[in-house]
């Protein structure tokens, strides 16, 4: 692999500057935060809208990295490493991956479509891996960056590749085609995803089909919109549920919880059972069936393997565990590439310094067992894991390669010995192949709560953060508000992610919130916006930074600071410019200046104020008057005290509506969580939280029967009623009941019947094909938090922050 990496990098258009002392390369990285970076890493310094990896090259040198692809060499680094200087590091990464791909001649399956790519990829891996050493995209690595990283993972032992390609606008697929070079193409689905990036559906289809311009065959559900874009040299292998003109005609029949596919292919006519009934899964399974037919699998093998298909868990989840543990659940896959991703995720989300990994045998690496487990051991060492628990016969053979390691032959043996294993105050990564049934281990370690959960999409938080950062002028810093338990979403976990993204400040309301974050390992500076005088000692002890907003508070803090012999302790001065909530008023500035002049116990880190109408454009003049007063007061304070602290006045709406007043820093709040007061901006944000529950019971009531307290709902006809275990004690407003609100079950609206109870609510599921145990969406994409707020005549903040902490938060990526 080392020689292939070296040859691939030497082929890109670059100017080489270096001493060539360390050219033994076996890994490629783009993440400066990864603990896996080291002397054998080739690092591409990518430049994003708000990030520039060149800033971290000196830090990477400390970890031993000596080979970099850059657009420029940072000052002081010129003679200390090897540099490939290019015009664009992302283009260079793609060129490098395309060069690397050329070393391998085996079949490559390329997947694209609007939906289903990752599911089909994982199922094809399951179906084909008994016969091939498969390399596939980890998770959903299908972007302009993800695809090259996926392809670079190929090694000499692989003999089949499965890679997915995702695009959001025109002219993107050509770059991915050059990297993947698929010999077999699979078009999964043409839906509405990313429609906004194309002029029309024809342009989107044409762009997606360009992935297959050099493929031998393309497999797709027959569609006259697609037919015209098949390349002349590419064979079309089509299937359909409705058209017998397709190469393969499939008839669907539901039997209990399964679907029987009657397959008519040439002279063959046979049945295949799959354990799903939903339309998307049946369609994805049909795509997989077509690949097996193209690869000439016999009917009995197809039947035997297809009936074993399983739900694919595509997310890494963070869960609360027993004995004050944090669990990262990745219990459905075990391959080398996904292990690297999971370990990086652990590092960004760890809540405890002590780290344990529960790891099954690793499959489909393409490497010899000795080479594979040597690499796994090196990976675990680089990530500074404290304990390794191996499960499986193979990993047990190589136990000696790991330090502080115990092994078990199978999951049952681990469970039998569970009571003798100590799990407490640690972060536990559970990483296992599906056949090991590690979900049983997750169940043992997971803190037991009821079935209502608030799922928090960490990818969406990262996306929303970068969306607002893209609006900032260069060098403007960003503070992110994580007060009120992260606006109801979970404070520590989100703070950890923000720390990973290197935000400049975190904001909390009260000292205990900040102390909790500090105790959880957060080291980003934390501002306490509403400190009580009684909390000043604790604020100092935990190195928090108080906002000071009145003379009484200032004198109280200076007194305790003097008692503790503090010097230059950071504080933040707040002016009231019209909000009339907290802050020094203009008539107090003389005494404020006199008190602070010559005082060395404190250092003013920032001066701030708060806009009252940043989201109300009809009060634009008032907002401008606030900004003008802030400019006046802050400038005078800075001038009189000869200081130059950060200044900030803009909140989420202010970032978008008053970009000329960004000063030195802005404060991002509700926008991080996917909420905007601007309908157009709202379309560009991603939903962060989905509140989910399940159906506890279903009953049918007759006409004139009632539901709930006070008989507020009276049935006019026979009505099927489902009871959901969530109520106003969980944070659902009673005003959302009695037909005002609804939940979503099987993608259909179910109106809330009668009054919402403390722990339950009832909904009308007449006409919805559902059963007890089925999932229920209380809010998320439908209904949205904004819709609920509108109907309840309140604001989105109240909906989010009302969700009780007895509702379990599950974080996923």
């Amino acid at each position: 692999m080392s020689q292939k990496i070296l040859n691939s990098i030497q082929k890109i258009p670059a100017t080489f500057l270096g001493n060539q002392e360390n050219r033994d390369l076996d890994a490629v990285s783009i993440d400066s935060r990864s603990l896996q970076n080291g002397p054998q890493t080739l690092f591409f310094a990518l430049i994003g809208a708000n990030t520039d990896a060149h800033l971290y090259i000196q830090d990477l040198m400390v970890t031993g990295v000596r080979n970099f692809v850059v657009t420029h060499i940072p000052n002081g680094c010129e003679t200390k490493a090897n540099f490939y200087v290019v015009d664009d590091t992302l283009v260079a990464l793609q060129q490098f991956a395309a060069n690397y791909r050329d070393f391998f001649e085996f079949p490559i399956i390329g997947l694209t479509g609007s939906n289903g790519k990752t599911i089909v990829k994982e199922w094809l891996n399951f179906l084909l891996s008994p016969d091939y050493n498969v390399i596939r995209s980890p998770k959903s690595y299908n972007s302009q960056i993800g695809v090259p990283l996926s392809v670079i993972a190929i090694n000499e032992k692989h003999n089949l590749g499965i890679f997915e390609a995702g695009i959001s606008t025109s002219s993107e697929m050509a770059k991915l085609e050059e990297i993947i070079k698929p010999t077999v193409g699979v078009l999964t689905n043409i839906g509405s995803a990313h429609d906004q990036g194309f002029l029309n559906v024809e342009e989107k289809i044409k762009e997606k089909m360009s992935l297959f311009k050099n493929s031998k065959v393309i497999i797709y559900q027959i569609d006259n919109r697609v037919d015209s874009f098949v390349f002349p040299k590419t064979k079309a292998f089509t299937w359909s549920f409705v058209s017998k003109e397709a190469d393969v005609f499939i008839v669907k029949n539901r039997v209990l919880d399964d679907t029987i596919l009657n397959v008519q292919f040439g002279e063959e006519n046979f049945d295949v059972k799959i354990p799903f009934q939903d339309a998307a899964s049946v369609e994805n399974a049909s795509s997989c069936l077509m690949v097996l037919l193209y690869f000439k699998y016999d009917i009995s093998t197809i039947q035997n393997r297809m009936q074993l298909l399983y739900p694919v868990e595509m997310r890494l989840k963070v869960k609360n565990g027993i004995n004050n543990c944090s669990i990262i659940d990745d219990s459905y896959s075990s391959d080398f590439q996904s292990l690297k991703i999971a370990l990086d995720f652990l590092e960004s989300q760890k809540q405890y310094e002590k780290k344990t990994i529960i790891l099954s045998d690793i499959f489909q690496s393409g490497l010899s067992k000795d080479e594979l487990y040597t690499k796994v051991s090196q990976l675990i060492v680089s990530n500074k894991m404290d304990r390794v628990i191996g499960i499986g016969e193979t990993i047990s053979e190589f136990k000696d390669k790991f330090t502080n390691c115990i092994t078990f032959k199978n999951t049952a043996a681990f469970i039998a010995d569970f009571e003798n294993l100590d799990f407490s105050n640690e972060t536990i990564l559970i990483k296992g192949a599906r056949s090991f049934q590690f979900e049983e281990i997750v169940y043992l370690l997971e803190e037991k709560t009821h079935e209502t959960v608030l799922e928090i999409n960490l990818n969406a938080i990262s996306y929303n953060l970068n969306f607002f950062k893209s609006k900032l002028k260069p060098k403007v810093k960003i503070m992110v508000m994580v007060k009120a338990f992260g606006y109801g979403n979970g404070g520590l976990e989100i703070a950890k992610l923000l720390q990973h993204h290197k935000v400049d400040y975190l904001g909390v309301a009260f000292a205990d919130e900040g102390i909790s974050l500090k105790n959880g390992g957060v080291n980003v500076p934390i501002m306490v916006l509403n400190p009580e005088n009684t909390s000043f000692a604790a604020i100092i002890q935990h190195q928090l930074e108080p906002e000071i907003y009145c003379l009484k508070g200032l004198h109280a803090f200076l007194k305790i600071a003097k008692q503790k012999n503090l010097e230059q302790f950071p504080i933040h001065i707040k002016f009231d410019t019209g909000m009339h909530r907290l802050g020094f008023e203009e008539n107090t500035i003389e005494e404020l200046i006199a008190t602070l002049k010559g005082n060395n116990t404190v250092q003013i880190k920032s001066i701030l104020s708060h806009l009252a109408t940043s989201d109300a454009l009809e009060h634009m003049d008032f907002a401008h008057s606030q900004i003008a007063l802030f400019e006046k007061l802050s400038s005078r304070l800075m001038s009189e005290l000869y200081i130059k602290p950060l200044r900030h006045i803009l909140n989420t709406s202010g970032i978008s509506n008053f970009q000329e007043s960004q000063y030195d820093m802005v404060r991002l709040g509700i926008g991080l969580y996917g909420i905007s007061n601007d309908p157009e901006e709202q379309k560009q944000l991603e939903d962060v939280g989905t509140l989910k529950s399940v159906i506890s019971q279903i009953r049918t009531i007759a006409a004139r029967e009632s539901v709930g307290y006070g008989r507020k709902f009276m049935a006019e006809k026979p009505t099927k009623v489902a009871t959901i275990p969530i109520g106003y004690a969980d944070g659902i407003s009673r005003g959302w009941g009695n037909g005002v609100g609804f939940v979503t079950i099987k993608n259909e609206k179910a109106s809330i019947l009668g009054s919402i109870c403390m722990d339950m609510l009832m909904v009308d599921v007449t006409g919805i094909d559902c059963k007890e145990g089925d999932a229920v969406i209380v809010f998320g994409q439908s209904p949205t938090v904004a819709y609920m707020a509108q109907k309840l005549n309140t604001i989105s903040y109240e909906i989010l922050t009302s969700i009780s902490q007895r509702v379990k938060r599950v974080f996923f990526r």
Side-chain angles (χ1 to χ4, degrees), residues 488-557:
N489 293 284
L492 179 58
E493 294 83 358
I494 292 173
K496 286 280 191 179
L497 178 64
L498 296 170
Q499 176 171 283
H500 190 65
H501 282 294
K502 302 184 186 298
V503 301
D504 301 286
Y505 263 93
L506 298 176
V508 298
F510 300 106
D512 57 348
E513 295 177 316
I515 292 170
S516 176
L517 298 183
K518 286 287 187 180
N519 289 340
V522 175
N523 52 39
V524 177
I526 299 173
M527 184 191 299
V528 183
L529 282 82
N530 306 335
E532 298 155 316
N533 292 1
T534 54
S535 70
F536 284 155
I539 284 174
I540 292 169
Q541 177 186 347
H542 292 277
Q543 294 295 298
L544 303 172
E545 302 182 15
E547 174 191 286
I548 304 296
Y549 51 80
C550 66
L551 290 167
K552 180 181 177 181
L554 177 59
H555 289 302
F557 190 83

Side-chain angles (χ1 to χ4, degrees), residues 17 83 232 422 518 660 728:
L17 298 170
F83 294 96
D422 177 36
K518 286 287 187 180
E660 72 284 357
Y728 58 77

Side-chain angles (χ1 to χ4, degrees), residues 510-688:
F510 300 106
D512 57 348
E513 295 177 316
I515 292 170
S516 176
L517 298 183
K518 286 287 187 180
N519 289 340
V522 175
N523 52 39
V524 177
I526 299 173
M527 184 191 299
V528 183
L529 282 82
N530 306 335
E532 298 155 316
N533 292 1
T534 54
S535 70
F536 284 155
I539 284 174
I540 292 169
Q541 177 186 347
H542 292 277
Q543 294 295 298
L544 303 172
E545 302 182 15
E547 174 191 286
I548 304 296
Y549 51 80
C550 66
L551 290 167
K552 180 181 177 181
L554 177 59
H555 289 302
F557 190 83
L558 291 176
K559 181 179 178 181
I560 192 171
K562 186 175 181 181
Q563 291 171 352
K564 292 181 178 292
N565 297 314
L566 299 181
E567 289 187 14
Q568 301 295 309
F569 193 90
I571 65 171
H572 303 262
I573 297 297
K574 183 171 189 176
F575 284 118
D576 176 12
T577 58
M579 182 76 169
H580 298 329
R581 187 171 64 177
L582 293 175
F584 289 95
E585 295 180 284
E586 187 171 10
N587 60 12
T588 63
I589 193 168
E590 298 283 355
E591 188 173 351
L592 171 64
I593 291 170
T595 304
L596 290 172
K597 187 166 284 187
N599 194 312
N600 293 323
T601 58
V602 295
Q603 175 189 17
I604 299 175
K605 293 287 287 189
S606 81
I607 305 171
L608 66 147
S609 188
H610 195 72
L611 295 180
T613 60
S614 62
D615 60 341
L617 298 183
E618 66 271 23
H619 295 297
M620 183 78 73
D621 290 344
F622 183 76
H624 281 302
S625 72
Q626 280 195 266
I627 294 168
L629 182 55
F630 177 66
E631 174 66 29
K632 174 184 174 183
L633 298 178
S634 60
S635 294
R636 183 177 176 195
L637 186 66
M638 292 163 63
S639 174
E640 295 275 1
L641 297 179
Y642 303 103
I643 58 174
K644 195 172 181 182
L646 301 172
R647 290 191 288 176
H648 48 109
I649 192 172
L650 299 186
N651 55 6
T652 294
S653 297
I655 293 171
S656 299
N657 294 333
F658 298 92
Q659 296 193 19
E660 72 284 357
S661 301
Q662 292 178 359
Y663 285 99
D664 306 294
M665 187 161 68
V666 297
R667 302 187 300 271
L668 177 61
I670 195 72
L672 181 76
Y673 307 98
I675 305 294
S676 173
N677 292 301
D678 180 349
E680 291 305 311
E681 184 173 79
Q682 181 65 59
K683 295 176 184 177
Q684 300 180 66
L685 299 178
E686 292 192 358
D687 293 320
V688 168

Side-chain angles (χ1 to χ4, degrees), residues 238-244 246-253 259-265 272 282-283 285-287 289-290 293:
T238 61
W239 63 276
S240 179
F241 294 131
V242 295
S243 174
K244 292 190 175 182
D247 296 305
V248 178
F249 180 62
I250 301 173
V251 178
K252 300 176 289 182
N253 294 294
T259 299
I260 304 297
L261 303 179
N262 177 252
V263 181
Q264 300 172 31
F265 174 40
V272 173
V282 173
E283 185 172 319
S286 298
S287 292
L289 168 68
M290 292 293 291
L293 291 173

